[in-house]
Amino acid sequence: MNVYVVRHGETEYNRRKVYFGWSDICLNETGRKQCITLKEELTYVKFDEIWTSPSIRTMETAKIITNGQALKIDDRFRELNFGEWEGLHYLTIEKQYPVEWKAWGDDWQHYCLPGGESFMNFYERVKNAWNELKSEVVRQKEIKNVLLTVHGGTLKVITLLEKKLPLKAYWQIKFPLATYEIFKIE
Protein backbone atom coordinates (compact mmCIF):
# COMPACT_ATOMS: atom_id res chain seq x y z
CA MET A 1 0.00 0.00 0.00
CA ASN A 2 1.14 3.54 -0.75
CA VAL A 3 0.37 6.59 1.34
CA TYR A 4 0.82 9.82 -0.62
CA VAL A 5 1.45 12.50 2.00
CA VAL A 6 0.87 15.92 0.45
CA ARG A 7 1.73 19.34 1.84
CA HIS A 8 -1.05 21.84 1.17
CA GLY A 9 -0.77 24.62 -1.42
CA GLU A 10 0.17 28.23 -0.75
CA THR A 11 -1.79 30.57 1.52
CA GLU A 12 -1.37 34.29 2.14
CA TYR A 13 0.37 33.44 5.44
CA ASN A 14 2.90 31.30 3.54
CA ARG A 15 3.48 34.21 1.19
CA ARG A 16 4.01 36.57 4.15
CA LYS A 17 6.40 34.05 5.79
CA VAL A 18 4.71 34.12 9.18
CA TYR A 19 4.24 31.36 11.73
CA PHE A 20 0.88 29.67 11.59
CA GLY A 21 -0.30 26.24 12.51
CA TRP A 22 -3.83 26.27 13.85
CA SER A 23 -4.91 29.49 12.15
CA ASP A 24 -7.51 28.46 9.59
CA ILE A 25 -6.32 30.09 6.37
CA CYS A 26 -7.62 29.07 2.95
CA LEU A 27 -5.48 28.59 -0.13
CA ASN A 28 -4.75 31.65 -2.23
CA GLU A 29 -4.97 31.66 -6.02
CA THR A 30 -1.37 30.46 -6.37
CA GLY A 31 -2.11 27.63 -3.92
CA ARG A 32 -5.16 26.52 -5.90
CA LYS A 33 -3.11 26.50 -9.12
CA GLN A 34 -0.39 24.47 -7.36
CA CYS A 35 -3.01 21.91 -6.32
CA ILE A 36 -4.41 21.69 -9.85
CA THR A 37 -0.89 20.98 -11.10
CA LEU A 38 -0.49 18.35 -8.38
CA LYS A 39 -3.83 16.81 -9.35
CA GLU A 40 -2.59 16.49 -12.95
CA GLU A 41 0.64 14.91 -11.71
CA LEU A 42 -1.30 12.36 -9.64
CA THR A 43 -4.04 11.72 -12.20
CA TYR A 44 -2.79 8.13 -12.67
CA VAL A 45 -3.46 7.28 -8.99
CA LYS A 46 -6.84 6.02 -7.79
CA PHE A 47 -7.11 6.95 -4.13
CA ASP A 48 -9.08 4.46 -2.06
CA GLU A 49 -9.18 6.73 1.00
CA ILE A 50 -8.46 10.39 1.61
CA TRP A 51 -7.31 11.54 5.04
CA THR A 52 -6.67 15.13 6.06
CA SER A 53 -6.01 17.56 8.84
CA PRO A 54 -9.14 19.61 9.66
CA SER A 55 -7.58 22.84 8.37
CA ILE A 56 -9.32 24.60 5.50
CA ARG A 57 -6.08 24.66 3.48
CA THR A 58 -5.52 20.89 3.74
CA MET A 59 -9.15 20.00 3.07
CA GLU A 60 -9.22 22.33 0.06
CA THR A 61 -6.00 20.72 -1.23
CA ALA A 62 -7.52 17.24 -0.88
CA LYS A 63 -10.77 18.26 -2.61
CA ILE A 64 -8.92 19.75 -5.59
CA ILE A 65 -6.68 16.70 -6.01
CA THR A 66 -9.53 14.17 -5.71
CA ASN A 67 -12.47 16.04 -7.28
CA GLY A 68 -14.21 16.22 -3.93
CA GLN A 69 -14.02 12.60 -2.71
CA ALA A 70 -15.13 11.99 0.89
CA LEU A 71 -12.55 12.96 3.50
CA LYS A 72 -11.55 11.30 6.77
CA ILE A 73 -10.60 14.16 9.07
CA ASP A 74 -8.20 13.64 11.96
CA ASP A 75 -7.39 16.60 14.26
CA ARG A 76 -4.09 15.02 15.26
CA PHE A 77 -2.63 15.71 11.80
CA ARG A 78 -2.79 19.48 12.44
CA GLU A 79 0.35 21.58 12.31
CA LEU A 80 2.20 22.66 15.46
CA ASN A 81 0.11 25.12 17.50
CA PHE A 82 2.16 28.34 17.59
CA GLY A 83 -0.25 29.93 20.09
CA GLU A 84 0.40 33.66 20.54
CA TRP A 85 2.92 33.54 17.70
CA GLU A 86 0.32 32.63 15.09
CA GLY A 87 0.40 35.11 12.21
CA LEU A 88 3.67 36.73 13.32
CA HIS A 89 6.96 36.95 11.45
CA TYR A 90 9.99 35.66 13.35
CA LEU A 91 11.50 39.17 13.54
CA THR A 92 8.33 40.39 15.27
CA ILE A 93 8.36 37.41 17.65
CA GLU A 94 12.01 37.98 18.49
CA LYS A 95 11.23 41.63 19.32
CA GLN A 96 7.92 41.14 21.18
CA TYR A 97 8.80 37.88 22.94
CA PRO A 98 12.59 38.03 23.49
CA VAL A 99 12.65 35.77 26.58
CA GLU A 100 10.31 33.19 25.05
CA TRP A 101 12.13 33.30 21.69
CA LYS A 102 15.43 32.55 23.42
CA ALA A 103 13.87 29.78 25.53
CA TRP A 104 12.47 28.16 22.39
CA GLY A 105 15.85 28.47 20.66
CA ASP A 106 17.58 26.89 23.67
CA ASP A 107 15.15 23.94 23.91
CA TRP A 108 12.96 23.80 20.80
CA GLN A 109 11.91 20.22 21.53
CA HIS A 110 10.42 20.77 24.99
CA TYR A 111 9.63 24.47 25.30
CA CYS A 112 5.87 25.07 25.21
CA LEU A 113 5.13 28.05 22.98
CA PRO A 114 3.03 30.76 24.72
CA GLY A 115 -0.59 29.68 24.31
CA GLY A 116 0.52 26.84 22.01
CA GLU A 117 2.28 23.52 22.38
CA SER A 118 5.75 22.03 22.57
CA PHE A 119 7.37 20.24 19.66
CA MET A 120 7.34 16.95 21.62
CA ASN A 121 3.57 17.20 22.19
CA PHE A 122 3.15 17.87 18.47
CA TYR A 123 5.50 14.99 17.58
CA GLU A 124 3.65 12.50 19.81
CA ARG A 125 0.26 13.64 18.48
CA VAL A 126 1.32 13.15 14.85
CA LYS A 127 3.08 9.86 15.65
CA ASN A 128 -0.08 8.44 17.23
CA ALA A 129 -2.25 9.56 14.32
CA TRP A 130 0.20 8.19 11.74
CA ASN A 131 0.49 4.82 13.46
CA GLU A 132 -3.29 4.52 13.73
CA LEU A 133 -3.77 5.46 10.07
CA LYS A 134 -1.27 2.78 9.03
CA SER A 135 -2.90 0.14 11.24
CA GLU A 136 -6.38 0.96 10.03
CA VAL A 137 -5.61 0.93 6.32
CA VAL A 138 -3.39 -2.17 6.49
CA ARG A 139 -6.32 -4.12 7.99
CA GLN A 140 -8.37 -3.26 4.91
CA LYS A 141 -6.74 -5.44 2.28
CA GLU A 142 -8.56 -3.75 -0.63
CA ILE A 143 -6.88 -0.39 0.02
CA LYS A 144 -3.94 0.24 -2.27
CA ASN A 145 -3.50 4.03 -2.28
CA VAL A 146 -4.22 6.59 0.42
CA LEU A 147 -3.95 10.36 0.12
CA LEU A 148 -3.09 12.28 3.30
CA THR A 149 -3.08 16.08 3.03
CA VAL A 150 -1.24 17.82 5.85
CA HIS A 151 1.18 20.60 6.75
CA GLY A 152 4.92 21.03 6.33
CA GLY A 153 5.71 20.26 9.97
CA THR A 154 3.41 17.26 10.03
CA LEU A 155 4.99 15.85 6.88
CA LYS A 156 8.44 16.34 8.39
CA VAL A 157 7.44 14.41 11.54
CA ILE A 158 6.07 11.55 9.42
CA THR A 159 9.35 11.54 7.49
CA LEU A 160 11.34 11.36 10.74
CA LEU A 161 9.23 8.40 11.85
CA GLU A 162 9.31 6.46 8.58
CA LYS A 163 13.01 7.02 7.90
CA LYS A 164 13.94 6.53 11.57
CA LEU A 165 15.81 9.84 11.68
CA PRO A 166 16.88 11.67 14.85
CA LEU A 167 14.73 14.61 15.94
CA LYS A 168 17.46 17.12 15.06
CA ALA A 169 17.03 16.12 11.38
CA TYR A 170 13.64 17.89 11.48
CA TRP A 171 15.30 21.18 10.55
CA GLN A 172 17.08 19.73 7.51
CA ILE A 173 13.95 18.22 5.93
CA LYS A 174 12.35 20.48 3.31
CA PHE A 175 9.03 20.04 1.55
CA PRO A 176 7.94 22.89 -0.71
CA LEU A 177 4.25 23.75 -0.83
CA ALA A 178 2.04 21.39 -2.87
CA THR A 179 4.60 18.59 -2.95
CA TYR A 180 4.37 15.04 -1.67
CA GLU A 181 6.25 12.04 -0.41
CA ILE A 182 5.16 8.44 -0.99
CA PHE A 183 5.48 6.01 1.90
CA LYS A 184 5.13 2.29 1.19
CA ILE A 185 3.37 0.49 4.02
CA GLU A 186 3.69 -3.28 4.34
Side-chain angles (χ1 to χ4, degrees), residues 13 16-23 80-108 111-117 171:
Y13 274 17
R16 290 176 32 205
K17 299 186 184 323
V18 298
Y19 285 97
F20 72 112
W22 285 28
S23 297
L80 176 73
N81 182 351
F82 288 98
E84 295 173 20
W85 296 0
E86 294 270 331
L88 299 178
H89 190 276
Y90 80 90
L91 293 173
T92 304
I93 297 168
E94 192 174 23
K95 184 177 179 182
Q96 292 180 0
Y97 297 86
V99 173
E100 295 86 347
W101 181 256
K102 182 177 181 336
W104 187 46
D106 290 343
D107 188 9
W108 65 272
Y111 179 74
C112 186
L113 301 173
E117 68 183 324
W171 298 107

